[in-house]
Structures are given as structure tokens and as C-alpha cells.
């Protein structure tokens, strides 16, 4: 009987790349070949505040930002000329004011007070610094500082009277709503993305309480929501750029 030839052992080819050959840039790092990087390198994603792979705060898309900018411009124009949208706004306000007990609406509107919103953001900023995210904390603080810098000139320019104080001026836009939105969303971005729905609820409760109590017209709140969205978008963009410029070191296989 003819003997079956034995298979020759595989020969090492110097030009062949192996999956776990030491790379040129980081010795011992698994990769497909010396000329190709893995599809998801370790340094491509920034860790979230808890140390898990994650991303920086999301930036709203251009259509959302453009819509917010257009809405803010249209509402401001209507307030300045006391157009039909502003007159409708006043009728809606008079219909809903005091439709709930004042104690509830006052508690809701108090969420936009500086004494309530700022400590929340300050604690989140301290946590972010402790986790090594100093740039994100800085941008969150600058976003909050931008609120009065933008709201106060708009109040002076529009000089809109209040629902219960027609002799007073400076109600548009709502500073409490902008403060709540930037503080609570900023804190959520710094601590965990899972808190974003909580920030949305707190902001909505603040704006609703201001309208139901008669502290602001509905358009005052709407304009502040648009303004807050623009501020948060700029802050998130700055955080992303800072994260992308931060050098990432090589790490071995875990």
C-alpha cells in the first residue's frame, strides 16, 4: 500500500502579517497589520465621566439649531412690534394663569432660581474636575456665565411688561428658564447622559410654573428655550474640540 504523504508544517513567511504581531507604534498592541489600524482604536473614543467608553456631550444638528435661531428671531420681532403672535400669547397666558394652586406653580418656578440651579451645576463641575474633565467643566461654567450676558440686553431692548405688572419692563426673555436649562442640562452632560431626561423635565417644570404663576408670558419661556439650546450647542462644540485636541496615549491589550 502506498503511504499517504504527510502534510508539511506551515512555513513562516517574513512578509506575512499576523493578527497579534507587535506593531510599530505600540509594542504588543493587537492589530491586523502594520499598515492598518483597527476599526475602533482605543484612543478614538473619549471615556464618559464614569470611566467607560463614551462620547462628549451631543451637539444638536444644524436643522435644530437653525430652527431655534429662526424661532428666536421671529418671536423677538413679534414682541417688539406687538404683533398677532404676541397678542395671542397674552390671551393664552390670561387663560392659564392660576389654573393650578399658586403654591405649586411657585415651587416649580423656583427651580430656575440661581440659589437652586447654580449649586447643582457647581456640584457637577466639581465632579467633572475630579474625574479629570476640566475642559468640560470650564465650558459648562462659561455657558452659565453667558446666560445673563445674553438675557439682560434682550430684556432691555424689548422692554416687555409682565402679565401682572404692566408698568414694569424687562420680562422677555425668561432668565429663570434659561438658567434652569443651561444649569440642569450642563450638569447632566458632566455627570451622565442618563440624566438628560431629568434635566428636560426640570426645565419644562420651571417654564410651566413661570407661566401658570403669571411670572412670564409663554413666549418669554419659548424664547429662553431657544436661547438655551444655542448656548448649550456652543458649549458642547467647544468641549468636543477640546477633547479632540487632547493627546491620547497607547495602551496594551486589556
Amino acid at each position: 500500500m502506498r503511504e499517504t504523504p504527510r502534510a508539511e508544517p506551515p512555513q513562516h513567511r517574513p512578509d506575512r502579517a499576523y493578527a497579534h504581531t507587535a506593531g510599530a507604534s505600540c509594542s504588543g498592541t493587537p492589530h491586523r497589520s502594520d499598515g492598518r489600524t483597527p476599526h475602533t482604536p482605543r484612543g478614538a473614543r473619549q471615556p464618559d465621566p464614569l470611566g467607560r467608553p463614551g462620547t462628549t456631550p451631543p451637539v444638536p444638528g444644524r436643522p435644530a439649531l437653525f430652527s431655534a435661531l429662526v424661532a428666536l428671531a421671529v418671536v423677538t420681532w413679534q414682541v417688539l412690534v406687538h404683533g398677532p403672535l404676541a397678542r395671542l400669547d397674552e390671551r393664552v397666558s390670561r387663560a392659564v394663569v392660576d389654573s393650578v394652586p399658586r403654591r405649586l406653580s411657585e415651587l416649580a418656578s423656583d427651580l430656575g432660581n440661581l440659589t437652586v440651579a447654580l449649586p447643582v451645576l457647581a456640584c457637577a463641575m466639581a465632579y467633572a474636575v475630579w474625574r479629570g474633565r476640566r475642559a468640560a467643566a470650564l465650558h459648562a461654567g462659561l455657558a452659565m456665565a453667558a446666560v445673563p450676558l445674553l438675557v439682560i440686553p434682550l430684556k432691555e431692548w424689548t422692554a416687555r411688561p409682565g402679565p401682572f405688572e404692566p408698568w414694569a419692563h424687562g420680562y422677555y426673555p425668561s432668565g429663570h428658564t434659561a438658567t434652569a436649562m443651561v444649569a440642569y442640562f450642563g450638569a447632566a452632560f458632566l455627570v451622565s447622559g442618563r440624566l438628560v431626561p431629568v434635566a428636560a423635565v426640570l426645565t419644562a417644570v420651571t417654564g410651566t410654573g413661570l407661566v401658570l404663576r403669571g411670572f412670564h408670558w409663554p413666549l418669554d419661556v419659548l424664547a429662553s428655550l431657544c436661547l438655551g439650546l444655542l448656548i448649550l450647542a456652543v458649549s458642547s462644540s467647544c468641549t468636543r474640540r477640546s477633547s479632540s485636541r487632547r493627546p491620547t496615549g497607547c495602551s496594551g491589550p486589556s
Side-chain angles (χ1 to χ4, degrees):
M1 178 184 294
R2 189 173 55 184
E3 199 171 357
T4 303
R6 299 175 60 185
E8 294 293 332
Q11 300 295 323
H12 174 72
R13 294 173 57 186
D15 59 340
R16 182 78 174 269
Y18 289 93
H20 292 277
T21 303
S25 58
C26 299
S27 177
T29 304
H31 62 288
R32 286 179 172 78
S33 66
D34 290 336
R36 292 176 58 194
T37 58
H39 290 292
T40 310
R42 289 181 180 268
R45 295 183 297 169
Q46 299 296 330
D48 69 357
L50 299 179
R52 298 185 296 268
T55 58
T56 50
V59 179
R62 291 184 178 179
L65 295 179
F66 179 76
S67 300
L69 186 60
V70 170
L72 180 61
V74 171
V75 171
T76 303
W77 165 60
Q78 285 291 293
V79 169
L80 285 172
V81 301
H82 198 247
L85 189 60
R87 294 194 294 270
L88 175 62
D89 179 53
E90 294 171 0
R91 290 197 297 270
V92 171
S93 177
R94 296 189 182 99
V96 300
V97 165
D98 286 338
S99 57
V100 299
R102 286 194 173 187
R103 180 57 180 166
L104 293 178
S105 58
E106 287 177 357
L107 286 175
S109 60
D110 285 345
L111 293 174
N113 287 343
L114 292 175
T115 54
V116 178
L118 282 187
V120 174
L121 180 61
C123 291
M125 291 172 61
Y127 175 80
V129 171
W130 178 63
R131 299 295 299 181
R133 302 181 63 209
R134 294 180 177 85
L138 174 62
H139 293 140
L142 292 176
M144 178 54 65
V147 171
L149 295 178
L150 296 174
V151 169
I152 293 177
L154 280 173
K155 286 179 175 291
E156 295 292 333
W157 181 35
T158 56
R160 191 181 195 189
F164 287 158
E165 297 178 346
W167 59 89
H169 299 282
Y171 280 79
Y172 176 92
S174 167
H176 282 70
T177 304
T179 298
M181 185 174 186
V182 174
Y184 296 136
F185 274 94
F189 292 156
L190 292 175
V191 176
S192 173
R194 297 176 181 176
L195 296 176
V196 170
V198 178
V201 170
L202 292 176
T203 303
V205 169
T206 303
T208 303
L210 291 168
V211 172
L212 296 180
R213 180 59 181 85
F215 289 147
H216 278 286
W217 308 101
L219 286 184
D220 300 349
V221 173
L222 175 61
S224 289
L225 294 177
C226 296
L227 188 63
L229 179 62
L230 296 173
I231 294 174
L232 290 172
V234 173
S235 176
S236 298
S237 297
C238 293
T239 302
R240 282 175 176 266
R241 284 196 293 268
S242 298
S243 299
S244 63
R245 288 196 299 265
R246 185 173 58 187
T248 56
C250 295
S251 58
S254 56

